[in-house]
Amino acid sequence: MEYIINHVPVRNKKRTRRKMVPEYITIHSTGNPNASARSERAYLTNPQNQSVTSYHIVVDDKESIEVTPLDEVAYHAGDGSRGTGNTKSIGIEISEYGNRQKAIENAVQVTASLLVEFGWRVDRIKQHYDWSGKNCPRILRTGNLWQKFIEDVRKEVE
């Protein structure tokens, strides 16, 4: 899987320009089965998109794209401009497009890589749900898929 850095321009309202020292990783799913990681990245700079909502990394079955620097606040957790989810966590969006299982596997790799980079354990991984109560990441919140995701990340780290 290729990891691409393609940050949204600073002048875009998706960029807060607020520095962050991350303490968590928050997992999301896009809720859009028709958009790849590149499409999700492109939507961030679409003039029709008037929201300030953003994230740090979007992952699909082929690649991961870092759209916001990992040391910058992005509004993705739904807990307000001062909430811990937004101000202290790296937001990862899992694309629902294409081979979903491969996208989840790629998200496991990216998440594990971040845990290693920051010297964290899996207890630093949160669901969007944990911050706001939203049913997200919906693709992992059914059955035992969230626990499997956590176990897969743990195995990848080891």
Side-chain angles (χ1 to χ4, degrees):
M1 167 195 49
E2 187 174 8
Y3 188 93
I4 300 164
I5 297 177
N6 184 4
H7 292 157
V8 170
V10 173
R11 68 186 178 281
N12 187 291
K13 69 180 176 180
K14 301 290 184 186
R15 295 283 303 273
T16 66
R17 298 186 282 293
R18 290 174 54 196
K19 286 297 176 191
M20 172 179 78
V21 177
E23 296 178 14
Y24 302 97
I25 298 168
T26 301
I27 305 298
H28 304 264
S29 58
T30 61
N32 184 354
N34 299 312
S36 66
R38 286 182 188 231
S39 296
E40 292 290 346
R41 164 56 182 88
Y43 186 62
L44 291 176
T45 54
N46 181 326
Q48 302 282 339
N49 182 353
Q50 294 298 309
S51 167
V52 296
T53 304
S54 189
Y55 46 85
H56 294 89
I57 301 167
V58 60
V59 181
D60 68 12
D61 57 350
K62 296 177 180 56
E63 60 196 1
S64 298
I65 305 171
E66 181 180 310
V67 302
T68 303
L70 302 182
D71 66 349
E72 184 175 305
V73 169
Y75 297 139
H76 60 90
D79 65 348
S81 64
R82 302 278 178 228
T84 302
N86 282 331
T87 63
K88 295 186 179 184
S89 78
I90 296 168
I92 299 176
E93 288 277 358
I94 303 172
S95 172
E96 297 184 22
Y97 175 81
N99 182 333
R100 187 174 293 176
Q101 185 54 45
K102 182 62 177 163
I104 292 169
E105 290 169 13
N106 288 346
V108 164
Q109 283 186 325
V110 170
T111 303
S113 178
L114 289 171
L115 290 179
V116 169
E117 178 181 337
F118 287 101
W120 297 340
R121 296 185 320 256
V122 295
D123 63 343
R124 300 289 187 113
I125 305 170
K126 303 291 185 186
Q127 300 177 56
H128 182 179
Y129 175 85
D130 295 327
W131 305 117
S132 69
K134 182 176 181 179
N135 185 27
C136 180
R138 72 180 187 159
I139 62 173
L140 297 175
R141 288 187 46 79
T142 57
N144 203 25
L145 295 178
W146 177 251
Q147 285 308 315
K148 181 180 180 337
F149 180 83
I150 296 298
E151 285 307 311
D152 289 349
V153 171
R154 186 187 324 271
K155 289 175 190 169
E156 185 75 20
V157 167
E158 293 170 358

